[in-house]
Amino acid sequence: MFKSKILAVAILGVIIYSCSPKVVTTAPVTEVKPVAVDLAPELAEGKNLYENNCVKCHKLFPATRHTKEEWVSVLDRMAPKAKITDVQKASIYNYITASL
């Protein structure tokens, strides 16, 4: 009698387990970013500064979000917050506006 109760509980456990939702253990698919073409050293410096300083406080915005003139005021406003020099600010500006 005891063995049949254990067998019944075991079978019930297997049925419950097989009907439960399954958890997917595969890694999520991430967006593949295109490999950048070799940049001139000046633009590479600006890209590095932009990606490593600006992202500390907010997401990185596409260059097309502002005109060249608007980027001047944006960078003037953000440079003190990011603690970057005028030379670094110019490098970031050159990188951002190179594609405009």
Side-chain angles (χ1 to χ4, degrees):
M1 179 93 177
F2 182 70
K3 288 182 181 181
S4 62
K5 286 184 180 180
I6 291 177
L7 182 61
V9 169
I11 291 173
L12 183 61
V14 169
I15 291 172
I16 291 173
Y17 176 76
S18 66
C19 293
S20 65
K22 305 299 181 250
V23 177
V24 178
T25 58
T26 59
V29 176
T30 57
E31 181 181 331
V32 177
K33 296 182 180 178
V35 177
V37 181
D38 290 334
L39 294 174
E42 301 81 26
L43 294 180
E45 173 72 16
K47 179 179 189 289
N48 183 43
L49 288 166
Y50 180 62
E51 290 177 348
N52 291 307
N53 286 290
C54 302
V55 78
K56 291 178 183 176
C57 298
H58 56 78
K59 69 177 185 170
L60 298 179
F61 297 106
T64 55
R65 180 174 178 147
H66 301 289
T67 64
K68 288 183 178 187
E69 294 76 23
E70 291 171 334
W71 276 115
V72 171
S73 64
V74 169
L75 290 171
D76 285 343
R77 189 176 66 250
M78 294 294 164
K81 295 177 184 182
K83 297 181 174 87
I84 59 173
T85 66
D86 287 340
V87 172
Q88 291 171 321
K89 181 174 67 170
S91 184
I92 292 170
Y93 175 81
N94 291 337
Y95 164 68
I96 291 173
T97 60
S99 64
L100 294 179

